Amino acid sequence: MIELEILINKGDNMPNSYIFLMFFFFYSIALLYFGKLGYKETNTIHDFFEGGGKLGLLVSIVTFSATWFSAASMQGLSGSIYTYGIVSVFYSIIPWFLGALFLIWLTPGLRASGAVTIPGYFKKRYNSKTLQITGGLIILLNFVLYIVIQIRGFGIVISQYLEIPYYLAVIIIYMFILYTTFGGLFSIARSDAFNFVIICLGIIIAAVLIVYKIGGISEIFHKASIIEGYAIQSGSYYTEKGSLTHPLVKGAMPVLSLISVFFAWGFGISTNPQYTVRIIAAKDDKTAINMIIKSIMLLTIIYSAVVLIGLGSRILIPSVGIIDSIDAILPVVSNSIFSLYINGFIMLAIMAAAISTANSQLIVASSSFIYDIFGVLSKKNYDDETLLRISRFVVFIVGSLSMVLSLTPPENLLVYGGYIWGVFSASFLIPLYGGMFYEKATKKSALYSMFSGLLVIFILILLNYKSHSMFDIHPAMPGVITSFVVFCISSKLEEADII
Amino acid sequence: MKLNIENKILIPFVLLFFISLSVLLLISFRNDYNFIINNSFRYMDNKLNEFEISFNENDLLNEEEMINDIKNVKLTNFIIVKDGDVIFNNTSFDINLNEVNAEKENGKIKHFIGENYLLSFMEYDFFSWTVLILEDKNELLSFFYESYKYNILASIIFLTFSLQITIFISANITKPIKKLVGFCEVISDGQYSEKIDLKRNDEIGQLGIAFNQMVGKLDTSINELVNMKNYNEDILKYIDKGIITFNSDKSIISKNPFAIQTIIETKNYLNNRNSFMDIVNKSIELTYKEKKSNDNLFEFTKKVDGDIKYYDFYTSIMWGENRNINGYICSFNNVTERKKLESRIQRLDRLATAGTLASGVAHEIRNPLTGMRTSIQVLKRRLKENLTGNNEIMFERLIKEIDRINKLISDLLNYSKRVDSKLQKVKVFQSVSDTLALLDGELKRKNIKTLIDCEDSEITFLIDPSQFNQILLNLIKNSVDAIEHENGEISVKMNYIDNLKNGAELIINDNGSGISNELIKKVFDPFFTTKSSGTGLGLSVVHELVYQNGGEINIQSIVGKGTTVSLYFKTGGISNE
């Protein structure tokens, strides 16, 4: 037992990573436990993808919020606030919440349609297999790319905290995402509940400590308003004095850009299958709407804490050294501000945010493949057991694809995420809401609208893609507008033809 | 805590993985740690040896030159102690010399592990130097920890991965078992037609197949059993026999619907102060005591109106295996109608006998009587001059008495001679009114009130009109005769007895002296009379006529309260006249 004594008594010699390893170990065991709970209840693919359509309010709120609160929210947003200031609130949080309000509007119609996916709704509404399959492909591809954000978010954190290579961290999250997703939505909902508690704990503790250190919330805003200089020493962005607390970064952010972002983040949320699946999985309409409203209330608290963390960190550590991207700011800063154990919690919160979002997205991607691509193309009828096996296999393939892609990750999670959400709004928004609220919408107008929106946003992204394009007009705006215009024109034309 | 099968598989594996990985980690930690320490010592020992060699090569140098030489070659972590004092130290550590002084031995390398450093030292002959090589322990260990971290991480990943696989496997193994359990619950809810498909080819799959076969057989057997049970229940339900079963303690287990109905119907009937259930219990008690079956007939009388019901009770023992008594069974049926029929047949027999006898005797008596009457009339004429006063009256009385005998004989002959009934619709109300008018003088004389309660004055009986008049006259006359007090009252009530108006009822009720239970059975017998001047043929004739016209008659009476006679006839359809 001499070794143990050494381990305990000579703790000073031990690197910090040992403490984080301990945190990581307990988190792993807990996640295993919560993931396991779902396995028993999953008997059909309906259970697997939509939790049998019987999720209660509390579970719905927790899983909705945990899915919502991703690595982009955790590191992307806090890093963005650290660097650019509260403009990030207008760049992300406000569009997100506005988008969520659209979801409330959508809920009764979507649930009444009996569709389980958005492309499934297209099939029911427009009776078009092309729309359904294209929708399925968009979801699949988008989520393969979006899961990369979560894997990267997790990979950065774990590699920094545990001082291990990035690729090893990627393998670890890959393992957890696959595991929680294999249990289906029941497993995801359970592990989401656990993850959300971890997220809240980590963020609230960090925010409270930062506010305490600086001496009050108003003090944070006051001190932030006088900061100037480079946030990242190796970076090119210089913070003007007062711009941190200015909504438009003292003019650096054009209002039009900010509005254009709404087309990506806001409309992206309001068409995002990862939320519509929660709406469908809720046990009734009332639960679904309550879930959205209460989740927004809950998230408002959490995001307020994130804003405080971002600004407070900038005050405590006005500049960080050489880092790859702003997403690494949170771990770096918290390492220098907090004690070892608080850092452990923050590490878990970051991990939880990444895992809880990634598994939901993985299952949505798989459900799209099963329902909207495989289900439409396959002529054979499969029993539930076989479909479950196929679904798990798809989960495995999609997860592996994302994992491979994340080995060469994008630079800025928030901007990258905005592009992906933008693809959703450019392709899904008009056919979905148009179909729901415009009776005369036709199959052709939906198809043209989807493809034109997609085309525009793809071209613009390819022309425009760079990590610091935050202050440009978001490609989603021209995309959505094109999609809308094409929808209107083709509807009118077709109407005229019929007459 | 109750563990399910999944956890029973899972928990041992979790413990197994955890313990073996922990042991592995500890062992590797110990080995790696020792290896690093030993390696450092070996390295330090080499340094000491090299120093000795170089010292021996430079044996011309004095002590001071030697130290300068050491400084020049920049030997690191080097300490020289002489006579207990440090004379050279190019490390950053202050050495506690106590341990060194205690352990040093000339010409031998010694090792010491301090709190922050490792020491390797040797005492040399030259200059009485003890040379120490020092290694920074913290620096050493931080390298060690850094590399060892990967062992721990790998272990956690391995543990997590193994547990995930274990969870999958245990879920996979236990899923069909859980499905089977769920299936059993469905079966125990009675859904025997369900089938289970486990989709497996292993033993569990075979279990599923066996289960399906078993449930299939169970389903068939249960269906048969249920059919049999329903069949038996139907028999018990629809049989016109009351059946009450008892357990071996003589407590009631079941009653069939007829039994329940009978118990309700006989609520106010008594047999010598015993209620219906008293008789049932007594019968069972008797069977219990005698250990044999019993069959008895019981008569129950309704106290209020004297109605009588007859029940035939049969009680027996239900024997189980090994001659154990499983319980008792009491069955009974209503034999009232049968009893009534029997008594009617007996009465008819008696009537027939009386009729035959009467007509036979009547002829034989009438002929001599005719002779007697003629002779008396001749005698009366011959003796006309000599007949005075009382004698003449006596002759007259003789003739009258002979006439009366003749009338009786005529009655008898009428009685025995069947007159066919010519059925037609007769308005009951009209007939009753006519009869009451006929008897008006007598009713007034006896101050008897009459009441007619008529649901519909168009009520008809399908009956021979003259015979109906005779029936009414006989019955009302009987009622009048029965009333011997001042407040006499006769009520006549008539009503339909069914909605289709196919049958009607006429009830004649008086508040006269009434007839006792013993006598009421005989009232329809011929020559039975309670009146001094009666022939005992009135009610007998009524009875005969009623049945001849397809009707029914019932008589109920309570001594001192009065008598009620109910007549029932078909209406012959609703009268449109």
Side-chain angles (χ1 to χ4, degrees), chain B residues 337-356:
Chain B
E337 287 306 311
R338 203 178 76 201
K339 280 296 281 186
K340 280 183 181 169
L341 204 65
E342 274 174 15
S343 65
R344 192 179 299 151
I345 289 167
Q346 281 173 7
R347 193 177 297 134
L348 284 176
D349 276 353
R350 276 201 295 274
L351 285 174
T353 316
T356 319

Side-chain angles (χ1 to χ4, degrees), chain B residues 136-395:
Chain B
D136 186 342
K137 193 175 158 193
N138 287 338
E139 200 179 316
L140 204 63
L141 281 182
S142 76
F143 283 122
F144 165 68
Y145 282 126
E146 181 56 31
S147 70
Y148 191 74
K149 181 179 72 193
Y150 287 93
N151 289 10
I152 298 176
L153 190 64
S155 301
I156 293 175
I157 292 175
F158 176 74
L159 182 69
T160 313
F161 187 67
S162 322
L163 291 185
Q164 288 177 1
I165 298 292
T166 314
I167 288 169
F168 280 131
I169 291 174
S170 70
N172 198 30
I173 291 176
T174 54
K175 198 163 203 171
I177 296 175
K178 279 182 194 157
K179 213 169 159 184
L180 217 54
V181 171
F183 180 62
C184 287
E185 278 164 12
V186 170
I187 296 299
S188 63
D189 282 348
Q191 297 171 21
Y192 301 103
S193 53
E194 291 290 314
K195 289 271 176 276
I196 187 168
D197 184 8
L198 295 175
K199 294 198 179 58
R200 288 171 76 124
N201 297 323
D202 55 10
E203 286 85 343
I204 293 176
Q206 287 169 4
L207 191 65
I209 293 167
F211 227 81
N212 280 336
Q213 288 170 348
M214 216 161 72
V215 171
K217 281 180 188 165
L218 197 65
D219 190 24
T220 319
S221 313
I222 283 176
N223 274 339
E224 280 172 9
L225 210 64
V226 166
N227 287 341
M228 185 64 93
K229 187 169 164 269
N230 289 343
Y231 180 69
N232 286 336
E233 274 177 1
D234 283 351
I235 290 178
L236 279 181
K237 201 163 152 188
Y238 298 114
I239 196 170
D240 65 337
K241 222 172 196 214
I243 293 171
I244 301 178
T245 53
F246 297 80
N247 64 11
S248 51
D249 297 329
K250 292 170 283 173
S251 316
I252 291 177
I253 299 173
S254 72
K255 295 173 188 156
N256 75 340
F258 189 87
I260 295 167
Q261 182 65 27
T262 305
I263 291 166
I264 295 168
E265 280 174 2
T266 56
K267 205 174 148 193
N268 297 320
Y269 289 73
L270 291 176
N271 170 290
N272 294 331
R273 298 187 178 182
N274 290 319
S275 71
F276 190 85
M277 279 314 290
D278 293 340
I279 296 296
V280 171
N281 290 331
K282 280 186 177 171
S283 304
I284 292 294
E285 192 64 33
L286 187 71
T287 300
Y288 166 72
K289 274 183 187 153
E290 292 179 354
K291 296 275 179 285
K292 70 178 181 62
S293 303
N294 280 296
D295 191 359
N296 290 307
L297 184 73
F298 290 93
E299 178 190 309
F300 295 90
T301 311
K302 193 175 184 182
K303 225 177 170 192
V304 190
D305 57 10
D307 186 39
I308 297 173
K309 284 178 191 260
Y310 295 92
Y311 283 93
D312 186 13
F313 283 77
Y314 182 80
T315 48
S316 64
I317 299 169
M318 294 193 283
W319 295 105
E321 285 174 22
N322 306 324
R323 295 291 288 171
N324 286 332
I325 292 177
N326 270 357
Y328 303 91
I329 184 163
C330 170
S331 64
F332 48 84
N333 56 341
N334 187 343
V335 292
T336 312
E337 287 306 311
R338 203 178 76 201
K339 280 296 281 186
K340 280 183 181 169
L341 204 65
E342 274 174 15
S343 65
R344 192 179 299 151
I345 289 167
Q346 281 173 7
R347 193 177 297 134
L348 284 176
D349 276 353
R350 276 201 295 274
L351 285 174
T353 316
T356 319
L357 181 74
S359 64
V361 172
H363 277 290
E364 296 308 318
I365 291 175
R366 194 175 247 189
N367 291 340
L369 268 184
T370 313
M372 278 170 77
R373 197 177 189 274
T374 319
S375 303
I376 287 170
Q377 277 177 327
V378 171
L379 268 178
K380 190 185 164 195
R381 209 166 41 243
R382 282 186 192 166
L383 298 173
K384 201 172 179 182
E385 288 87 42
N386 300 330
L387 282 177
T388 53
N390 285 341
N391 287 346
E392 194 176 358
I393 293 167
M394 279 172 73
F395 264 106

Side-chain angles (χ1 to χ4, degrees), chain A residues 3 13 39 42 162-163, chain B residues 10 30 138 149 168 175:
Chain A
E3 292 79 14
N13 295 331
Y39 278 81
T42 305
L162 300 184
E163 296 163 33
Chain B
L10 208 57
R30 180 200 171 96
N138 287 338
K149 181 179 72 193
F168 280 131
K175 198 163 203 171

